[in-house]
């Protein structure tokens, strides 16, 4: 017999319990579809090995599995994902739709010099090594073509729509003077797409140099001038924040009237939070990397979080539950 009369169940890893619960509630409210939510239990042995336990039966069910790939570290989170997928498969699920809004390792998507790995591809292979994982829902992959590293269907949600709505609501009059800025060539397509949502705003693209990992230098700006303009920088992620701080400084030196920043994944490694708090310019991120309310309260002076639960709820409903299209809210 199916659990709760539904062939679907939501399972979440500890970091994603709250997000999964809100998504379940939204699907219930909007579509009168009430999904069971099972919270995965995770323990760590004294030597660091991880062990997971699915505390309720999920037999013969299609599992929507919420997992995060950043905390406690990308490496530990990846191992937890692999063992959790194994636990679900051995618990006789029919299939797993994996929901990881942020996927670690996607920056390493090509051999930019000899004898380096393509870790993003390897990560895709590792995830797909479990044949129960048959669909992936994520957000703002570092490069869209990385969908091709997976052979299963991938829904890549875009933070751009959420950010555009926010800017239209809060900067409506100023937006006539907006220039959308890509911090590097890799972000040019994202910036153009974003610009279309901001009434076809002009675009400028930085040439960035990376002397080594986690160090970057914005060199020159190509495209629209930013003199006297509102510069809106958009990126997929902020890690140490070096890229964004360099770009913002350069834009100010070049005469931009104001600088705003939006990036889907706010990782904030090292002293990024402190550095942004000292600079005091606003950063817009989604909650693709889950954090508690205290975190957002503590960083409210510079960080503005746009939740992505609605986008996830509609995507799960349309793409997986009724087989509809997600283009209407994700293009
Ligand atoms: C790079 O290609 C990415 O899109 C981000 O710009 C970069 O990973 C951000 O890293 P960080 O914040 O450490 O400069």
């Amino acid at each position: 017999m199916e659990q709760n009369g539904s062939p679907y169940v939501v399972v979440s890893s500890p970091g994603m319990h709250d997000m999964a619960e809100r998504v379940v509630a939204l699907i219930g409210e909007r579509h009168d579809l009430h999904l069971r939510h099972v919270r995965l239990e995770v323990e760590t042995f004294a030597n660091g090995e991880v062990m997971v336990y699915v505390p309720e039966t999920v037999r013969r069910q299609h599992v929507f599995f919420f997992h995060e790939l950043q905390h406690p570290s990308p490496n530990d989170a990846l191992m937890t994902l692999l063992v959790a997928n194994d636990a679900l498969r051995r618990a006789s699920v029919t299939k797993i739709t994996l929901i990881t809004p942020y996927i670690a390792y996607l920056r390493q998507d090509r051999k930019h010099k000899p004898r380096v790995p393509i870790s993003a591809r390897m990560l895709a292979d590792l995830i797909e090594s479990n044949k129960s994982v048959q669909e992936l829902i994520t957000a703002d992959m570092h490069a869209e073509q990385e969908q091709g590293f997976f052979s299963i269907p991938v829904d890549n949600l875009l933070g751009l729509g959420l950010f555009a709505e926010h800017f239209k609501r809060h900067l409506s009059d100023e937006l006539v003077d907006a220039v959308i800025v890509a911090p590097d060539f890799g972000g040019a397509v994202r910036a153009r797409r974003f610009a279309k949502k901001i009434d076809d705003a002009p675009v400028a693209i930085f040439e960035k140099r990376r002397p080594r990992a986690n160090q970057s230098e914005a060199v020159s700006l190509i495209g629209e001038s930013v003199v006297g303009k509102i510069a809106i920088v958009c990126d997929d992620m902020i890690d140490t924040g070096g890229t964004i701080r360099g770009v913002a400084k350069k834009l100010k030196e070049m005469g931009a009237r104001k600088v705003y920043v939006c990036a889907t994944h706010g990782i904030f490694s090292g002293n990024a939070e402190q550095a942004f708090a000292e600079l005091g310019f606003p950063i817009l991120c989604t909650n693709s990397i889950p954090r508690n309310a205290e975190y957002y309260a503590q960083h409210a002076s510079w960080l503005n979080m746009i939740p992505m639960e609605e986008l996830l709820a509609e995507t799960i409903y349309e793409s997986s539950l009724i087989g509809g299209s997600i283009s209407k809210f994700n293009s």
Side-chain angles (χ1 to χ4, degrees), residues 76-150:
D76 285 340
L78 176 59
M79 193 62 202
T80 306
L81 173 66
L82 298 175
V83 295
N85 283 342
D86 188 64
L88 291 168
R89 181 172 170 76
R90 290 175 194 279
S92 302
V93 300
T94 51
K95 74 174 191 181
I96 300 169
T97 297
L98 179 61
I99 300 159
T100 48
Y102 166 70
I103 304 184
Y105 282 100
L106 288 190
R107 273 181 291 189
Q108 300 180 49
D109 61 357
R110 64 190 199 288
K111 280 185 75 167
H112 64 286
K113 64 179 183 186
R115 298 176 297 283
V116 294
I118 302 181
S119 306
R121 170 59 206 249
M122 189 207 65
L123 176 120
D125 286 347
L126 275 175
I127 291 174
E128 286 192 36
S129 65
N130 186 315
K131 297 297 171 214
S132 296
V133 181
Q134 289 175 24
E135 290 169 340
L136 173 66
I137 296 175
T138 187
D140 277 303
M141 298 176 98
H142 181 61
E144 274 193 293
Q145 59 269 29
E146 287 175 272
Q147 293 174 37
F149 286 176
F150 293 84

Side-chain angles (χ1 to χ4, degrees), residues 107 110 142 183-187 190 208 210 213-216 234-245 265 267-269 272 276:
R107 273 181 291 189
R110 64 190 199 288
H142 181 61
D184 50 34
F185 292 140
R190 182 177 299 108
K208 177 171 93 176
R210 260 203 193 285
N214 285 136
Q215 270 186 26
S216 71
C234 74
D235 209 348
D236 58 329
M237 65 164 78
I238 298 175
D239 185 0
T240 63
T243 300
I244 289 301
R245 287 195 298 278
H265 312 295
I267 302 173
F268 307 128
S269 303
F276 282 126

Side-chain angles (χ1 to χ4, degrees), residues 160-220:
L160 302 180
L162 302 174
F163 297 142
E165 267 176 41
H166 174 94
F167 284 121
K168 283 184 169 171
R169 209 173 312 124
H170 295 277
L171 300 182
S172 52
D173 293 344
E174 288 182 293
L175 280 184
V176 286
D177 283 337
V179 176
I180 308 304
V181 178
D184 50 34
F185 292 140
V189 174
R190 182 177 299 108
R192 291 217 170 85
R193 216 163 174 175
F194 187 45
K196 276 206 175 353
K197 292 179 180 293
I198 308 273
D199 304 325
D200 269 322
V203 171
I205 300 160
F206 268 105
E207 187 198 348
K208 177 171 93 176
R209 285 199 195 128
R210 260 203 193 285
R212 58 185 62 86
N214 285 136
Q215 270 186 26
S216 71
E217 189 192 343
V219 186
S220 56

